């Protein structure tokens, strides 16, 4: 969460001129997104009406070659009434521009706030919105492999090494050593695939009361097993932040919201415990890697990898497999 | 520039409920201010009308005991039509509240952007706005000593030590050793005092075209020599950022804008070269201290102290004293 690039008002005004949105009247660097710089921009048209946008400058963690996939996806989903921000194309029709060697895009501002103590009604709405995206993306022609799939977690966790994992928690190396090959060997590659968000944490959902006003930050979106996205979202929404407490009402609400729009097949439900272990491993891997590789005096505090080790252990208990079954 | 405190949407909504401004519909942490956390907040009233505010949470660098001075000053100046944001008092009439041990205030959102390549017309407007503040603050009863006065710079520069200063630049120790006692010995304490902003850099001025829409960040405001504030603003606006190039058109415009509202006396004009050296020392001191004491792998890049050593050297040249004289 940072603004990495500093842009003066004159530069911002020149950037905005490339779009047919009026003139710049306000610009605030906002602390949002982990892989880019963002400004909340306000413009005014000759008639006096104002509009707000998010201007995103992509830093090194986003590959410019992936931008057409991410931005076309937003336009595709917005046209199908999914609650996602539209992209504003420039006067030449381009969805992103290059500025000083970096790509930038102008994206619709959406109202709403990110909840941190979701209610069952909110989890239900998020489940519905996720299913709406999966449904609306069926006729989206873009393709992108999951850069944070099994191979990536294995690599990150191997790079951590058993000693560093043991330093985080004495049992962590063993847990990872057991789960990693198990998830790999049982990966249900035959299940239906679609475009998935792959990172739908509460931070990436804007809400007003119980209504989803925006799903944002699609920069991990890719084509992968549809039910894996349900598993990621389940891991993200249905636990206390430290992973120590499973929240059954949120789980039931999320799954019922999702399946009201996109019914889950028996095969998908069967695979969900394993996919949830995979989702836990994925966030455990990036968090453990960041935990080990963040200098102790850095301004950013790395997130606790154990929060996902606890989820992984929870999903691995056979008695918890039933929570994904139809009720 | 950072958001130091993380507040969830539910916490923000509860905070906003203490004010009569409607319900929270958007909140973005913004990268503004060096001594506090800030959110750009939008609220909606029952009738549907929306309003925007800046919610500021004061971190350790601001003393809560000083808040009545800062916030009452904003209200005093806004009531006298200075372009400063009003504070929004809570339902009990308080200008700030305590939350989780920290003070927070809700402040009016103002449009405008901070320029980084000011034009003479903009410098003229800033000079006028500064004079308007000095004039409007004459009947403000609050009092606050300048915490970043001569004693503070001396202390910071002494704490740096001659070796560390020499490591920044071979001539820096000598320059500081010469200027520090000279400014002290010649301090024109008899000149008129008033409330001063004391930090009116372009970052702290919001503009639309050539108009000042907001002077912000009054957290160094204090009672000190009025003309010292002119000197600070001069040093902040009338040079290239690295201090290597004096910009005479901006200087003339700033001084003429200021004196159109508050004429500078002959004594004040006489003292301005010394006050400008003092202003240069003040920012040189904090920048040198931060330069020496910021870990090399920190995420924030400290600002170059030499940018103000160059201003100091410029103002110290006798031939440059004339620029403050009436033209």
């Amino acid at each position: 969460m940072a603004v990495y690039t500093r842009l003066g008002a004159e530069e911002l005004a020149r950037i905005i001129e490339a779009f047919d949105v009026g003139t710049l009247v306000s610009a605030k660097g906002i602390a949002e997104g982990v892989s880019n710089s963002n400004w909340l921009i306000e413009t005014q048209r000759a008639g006096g009406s104002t509009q707000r946008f998010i201007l995103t400058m992509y830093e090194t963690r986003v590959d410019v070659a992936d931008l057409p996939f991410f931005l076309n996806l937003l336009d595709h989903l917005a046209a199908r009434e999914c609650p996602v921000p539209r992209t504003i194309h420039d006067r030449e029709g381009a969805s992103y521009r290059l500025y000083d060697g970096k790509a930038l895009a102008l994206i619709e501002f959406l109202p709403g706030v990110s909840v941190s103590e979701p209610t069952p009604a909110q989890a239900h709405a998020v489940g519905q919105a996720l299913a709406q995206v999966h449904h609306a993306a069926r006729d989206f022609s873009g393709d992108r492999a999951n850069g944070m799939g099994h191979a990536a977690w294995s690599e990150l966790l191997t790079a951590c090494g058993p000693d560093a994992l043991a330093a985080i928690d004495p049992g962590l190396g063993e847990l990872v050593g057991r789960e990693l090959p198990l998830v790999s060997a049982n990966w249900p590659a035959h299940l239906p695939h679609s475009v998935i968000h792959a990172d739908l944490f509460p931070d990436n959902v804007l809400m007003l009361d119980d209504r989803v006003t925006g799903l944002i930050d699609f920069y991990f979106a890719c084509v992968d097993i549809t039910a894996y996205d349900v598993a990621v979202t389940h891991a993200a929404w249905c636990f206390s932040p430290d992973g120590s407490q499973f929240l059954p009402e949120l789980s039931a609400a999320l799954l019922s919201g999702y399946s009201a729009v996109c019914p889950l097949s028996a095969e998908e439900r069967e695979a969900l415990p394993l996919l949830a272990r995979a989702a836990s491993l994925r966030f455990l891997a990036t968090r453990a890697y960041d935990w080990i590789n963040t200098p102790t005096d850095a301004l950013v505090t790395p997130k606790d990898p154990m929060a996902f080790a606890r989820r992984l252990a929870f999903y691995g208990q056979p008695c918890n497999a039933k929570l994904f079954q139809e009720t």
Side-chain angles (χ1 to χ4, degrees), chain A:
Chain A
M1 305 220 305
V3 176
Y4 297 90
T5 300
R6 202 184 135 66
L7 289 179
E10 295 83 355
E11 284 175 288
L12 284 168
R14 279 194 291 273
I15 288 167
I16 294 302
E17 271 170 27
F19 300 84
D20 179 23
V21 293
T23 58
L24 185 68
V25 294
S26 180
K28 304 281 182 200
I30 60 174
E32 206 153 279
V34 292
S35 45
N36 41 51
S37 300
N38 289 285
W39 291 263
L40 176 50
I41 296 282
E42 187 175 22
T43 64
Q44 187 164 38
R45 291 198 180 269
S49 68
T50 60
Q51 263 185 294
R52 276 177 288 167
F53 306 97
I54 304 291
L55 178 72
T56 297
M57 177 170 267
Y58 299 94
E59 307 290 345
T60 48
R61 283 177 66 168
V62 171
D63 185 344
V64 174
D66 285 333
L67 280 182
F69 175 84
F70 298 140
L71 299 171
N72 294 344
L73 176 62
L74 289 180
D75 287 341
H76 180 95
L77 296 175
R80 279 151 191 80
E81 307 202 339
C82 290
V84 307
R86 284 164 205 280
T87 67
I88 313 303
H89 291 221
D90 72 8
R91 291 176 193 273
E92 288 157 12
S95 62
Y96 69 94
R97 298 177 60 81
L98 289 177
Y99 184 83
D100 202 15
K102 289 179 184 170
L104 50 83
L106 194 65
I107 293 172
E108 185 185 12
F109 168 84
L110 294 176
V113 293
S114 296
V115 301
S116 48
E117 304 150 22
T119 63
Q122 290 170 332
H124 189 270
V126 168
Q128 282 187 308
L130 180 65
Q132 215 185 329
V133 164
H134 291 167
H135 187 266
R138 282 183 194 169
D139 62 342
F140 179 64
S141 60
D143 194 12
R144 178 175 183 264
N146 189 351
M148 281 309 301
H150 190 271
W153 329 325
S154 298
E155 203 175 302
L156 287 172
L157 289 165
T158 307
C160 289
D163 291 354
L165 291 180
I168 296 173
D169 184 272
L172 189 54
E174 198 204 331
L175 180 72
V176 165
R178 191 175 63 236
E179 291 284 333
L180 208 49
L182 193 147
V183 166
S184 179
N186 295 286
W187 191 248
H190 60 286
L191 287 180
H193 283 53
S194 67
V195 171
I196 67 169
H197 183 285
D199 193 38
L200 200 60
F201 279 73
D203 275 359
N204 291 332
V205 179
L206 299 173
M207 305 197 81
L208 284 176
D209 299 326
D210 297 341
R211 189 163 57 90
V212 173
T213 55
L215 305 178
I216 58 173
D217 214 343
F218 277 75
Y219 303 111
F220 286 108
C222 56
V223 174
D224 206 337
I225 295 174
T226 313
Y228 174 66
D229 215 11
V230 178
V232 166
T233 311
H234 192 273
W237 285 77
C238 304
F239 292 83
S240 61
D242 73 353
S244 66
Q245 211 188 336
F246 172 63
L247 305 168
E249 292 85 1
L250 293 183
S251 167
L254 180 79
L255 294 169
S256 104
Y258 184 86
S259 49
V261 178
C262 290
L264 288 159
S265 69
E267 266 194 312
E268 287 177 317
R269 289 186 183 268
E270 200 66 37
L272 271 167
L274 183 105
L275 293 170
R277 287 153 85 172
S280 304
L281 271 172
R282 177 254 179 270
F283 294 103
L284 169 56
T286 46
R287 287 190 172 197
Y289 186 84
D290 290 347
W291 188 268
I292 292 163
N293 294 290
T294 301
T296 49
D297 57 355
L299 279 178
V300 283
T301 312
K303 294 179 181 169
D304 183 7
M306 291 308 293
F308 280 86
R310 292 184 197 106
R311 287 162 164 91
L312 176 56
F314 175 89
Y315 288 129
Q317 289 170 38
C319 61
N320 290 329
K322 67 176 182 301
L323 68 94
F324 291 110
Q325 292 309 311
E326 207 144 9
T327 50

